[in-house]
Amino acid sequence: MDLNYSEEEYAFEAKVKQFLKDKLPQRLSDKVKGNIRLTKADMEEWHSILNAEGWLATHWPVKYGGTGWTPVQMHIFEEACSAANAPRTVPFGLGMLGPVLIKYGTEEQREHYLPRILDGTDWWCQGYSEPGSGSDLASLKTRAVRDGDHYIVNGQKTWTTLGQHANWIFCLVRTDTECKPQEGISFLLIDMDTPGIEVRPIITLDGEHEVNEVFFDNVKVPVSNRVGEENKGWTYAKYLLTYERTNIAGVGASLNGLEHLKVIAREQQLDGKPLIEDPYFARRMAEVEIDLDAMKTTNLRVLAAVQGGGAPGAESSMLKIKGTVIRQEINDLTRRALGPYAMPYVHEALEEGYNEPPIGPEYANPVSSDYFNNRKLSIFGGSNEIQRNIISKMILGL
């Protein structure tokens, strides 16, 4: 693989930057740059702008409304969006369910659901995690019992990100208890307006409402809402998770975070000199920059495999581990660079329109929130310990 951009790729990069200059609302860019909370309307606005341009489903085939971009073009697009402080698209429909429907869904399911993901009619959330299951996803207990043309679903999901906004949820449910745990799971698409569903908020350490619990009490789901075969859902679940883990790597977000850290390190002083000149701090920044550069190459390899008709393989576990470690290291260095100014956390300061004077530098307030919130990165999507087991078995053959 030639890692140098061709003339066509430089032209594509210029086209993307011009698009972002013309179409990315300054208000949204300012909110992302200032770590101001994005509302549902904000996320839908950027989703709609990308869809109008035909640049929303970067990983989908053109046949289903995707861009047909090369891996390098996808990388260029992600990097440019992060540098311009564009909002990240919500991944559950676009980056997770979409690829599963394209590979395993029926043509009727593709024709019905994929356009609704693109035009924003449906907001999807993920029903994977359950209380007591931890990283052992196959131990899930939410039951779906066949009753004629329907399943009756009972159980509970947890850590359902942005579920308060969703009108659909894709769920793993147990449809057979008399077999190995992985062999009795099915993959259902469930309308959140179905009677018997209750969503309860979980308020996280930083005071945010990002995740939820979802309860199912005799929820009636048509059998036609099942993706693939009954009891074969584990196969589809694993396929989806490879896309989720690849997305979690967040190469563009880390590049942007590192550049922001350099700005802070040039402004903050240690013993009368810019912090960036401190040997210990400079060494840690150099280490994370080298790791990030290496991860960019791995990310391109995974994207190339997907474009060639494959799916992200065990390499997605490498991306997940390295990507989350890098982002957490950048969060930690940013917090350390600000010293005591990273400690005060004014929850209201992350609201649009807040105009009280900042405590310390203006960019200091969200630092603690980011640091604590991103502790989750090494846990969700399959903990980093689980990913190391996958690498040891599937890549190293141990």
Side-chain angles (χ1 to χ4, degrees):
M1 177 186 293
D2 185 355
L3 297 181
N4 297 308
Y5 288 170
S6 64
E7 288 186 15
E8 291 77 13
E9 287 160 347
Y10 278 119
F12 176 78
E13 182 181 43
K15 183 179 178 182
V16 170
K17 288 181 177 179
Q18 188 62 48
F19 163 77
L20 291 167
K21 183 179 178 182
D22 295 340
K23 299 293 180 65
L24 173 61
Q26 189 64 47
R27 182 182 62 82
L28 291 184
S29 178
D30 289 344
K31 290 184 81 169
V32 173
K33 186 177 181 180
N35 278 325
I36 303 300
R37 291 186 190 90
L38 294 173
T39 64
K40 180 184 180 185
D42 291 333
M43 290 181 267
E44 289 178 329
E45 181 180 356
W46 184 233
H47 182 108
S48 176
I49 291 170
L50 290 175
N51 187 45
E53 189 71 17
W55 286 5
L56 184 58
T58 56
H59 293 76
W60 294 11
V62 173
K63 175 182 178 182
Y64 297 112
T67 58
W69 285 345
T70 66
V72 174
Q73 286 176 315
M74 287 187 267
H75 175 77
I76 288 171
F77 182 70
E78 182 186 2
E79 197 166 313
C81 284
S82 293
N85 295 302
R88 296 195 74 182
T89 53
V90 179
F92 305 107
L94 285 169
M96 295 161 70
L97 178 62
V100 171
L101 289 177
I102 290 168
K103 186 173 179 64
Y104 295 107
T106 64
E107 200 53 46
E108 290 77 16
Q109 288 172 335
R110 296 186 195 106
E111 289 177 359
H112 178 75
Y113 292 111
L114 295 179
R116 293 166 65 92
I117 292 172
L118 292 177
D119 68 17
T121 300
D122 293 333
W123 182 302
W124 288 87
C125 62
Q126 182 183 33
Y128 270 31
S129 298
E130 293 192 4
S133 289
S135 293
D136 184 11
L137 184 58
S139 69
L140 64 90
K141 293 181 172 58
T142 296
R143 288 294 311 277
V145 178
R146 184 78 176 260
D147 181 17
D149 294 334
H150 290 79
Y151 289 104
I152 305 300
V153 180
N154 284 281
Q156 178 187 352
K157 299 293 179 180
T158 193
W159 309 124
T160 310
T161 304
L162 301 179
Q164 71 270 33
H165 300 318
N167 60 329
W168 282 83
I169 182 171
F170 53 87
C171 261
L172 294 180
V173 295
R174 183 156 302 287
T175 41
D176 190 342
T177 58
E178 305 298 324
C179 57
K180 288 174 60 177
Q182 290 87 351
E183 295 175 356
I185 293 172
S186 296
F187 192 108
L188 294 184
L189 311 177
I190 304 177
D191 185 341
M192 293 287 276
D193 289 331
T194 311
I197 297 179
E198 181 183 1
V199 180
R200 298 179 190 171
I202 298 173
I203 305 303
T204 49
L205 182 65
D206 54 0
E208 298 296 323
H209 176 197
E210 183 182 13
V211 291
N212 303 269
E213 297 175 289
V214 182
F215 295 85
F216 300 88
D217 182 10
N218 290 318
V219 175
K220 199 172 179 181
V221 181
V223 171
S224 59
N225 284 20
R226 189 189 68 224
V227 175
E229 298 180 50
E230 186 173 273
N231 297 328
K232 300 295 183 185
W234 187 247
T235 299
Y236 321 136
K238 289 191 296 182
Y239 182 78
L240 182 148
L241 282 170
T242 59
Y243 279 90
E244 181 182 13
R245 288 164 188 157
T246 303
N247 185 61
I248 291 172
V251 175
S254 290
L255 286 168
N256 210 24
L258 182 60
E259 289 307 309
H260 184 54
L261 170 61
K262 288 178 180 177
V263 171
I264 294 174
R266 289 189 188 100
E267 292 185 5
Q268 297 299 308
Q269 300 282 310
L270 179 65
D271 297 330
K273 295 181 179 178
L275 180 61
I276 202 168
E277 296 179 12
D278 175 70
Y280 173 74
F281 200 85
R283 178 181 62 79
R284 288 188 63 176
M285 286 184 58
E287 286 174 348
V288 77
E289 187 162 17
I290 291 168
D291 285 348
L292 179 54
D293 207 40
M295 189 177 70
K296 284 170 59 178
T297 305
T298 305
N299 189 51
L300 282 168
R301 285 172 50 207
V302 173
L303 290 174
V306 174
Q307 191 194 39
E315 293 83 359
S316 65
S317 296
M318 295 166 55
L319 282 176
K320 200 272 178 177
I321 294 171
K322 207 61 189 175
T324 56
V325 169
I326 287 171
R327 288 176 69 183
Q328 289 176 341
E329 175 70 355
I330 291 171
N331 286 148
D332 186 41
L333 287 172
T334 305
R335 187 176 61 93
R336 289 175 180 277
L338 283 163
Y341 291 128
M343 293 179 67
Y345 171 49
V346 183
H347 189 260
E348 298 78 10
L350 301 186
E351 289 292 343
E352 188 175 23
Y354 181 83
N355 57 8
E356 294 295 320
I359 302 172
E362 192 170 355
Y363 46 68
N365 190 62
V367 170
S368 289
S369 175
D370 283 349
Y371 174 82
F372 287 118
N373 190 289
N374 281 345
R375 297 299 94 188
K376 71 188 179 189
L377 295 177
S378 48
I379 300 173
F380 73 22
S383 71
N384 284 5
E385 286 73 17
I386 295 293
Q387 304 316 306
R388 291 186 178 96
N389 285 338
I390 291 173
I391 292 169
S392 68
K393 291 178 182 176
M394 298 185 64
I395 297 180
L396 303 177
L398 300 176

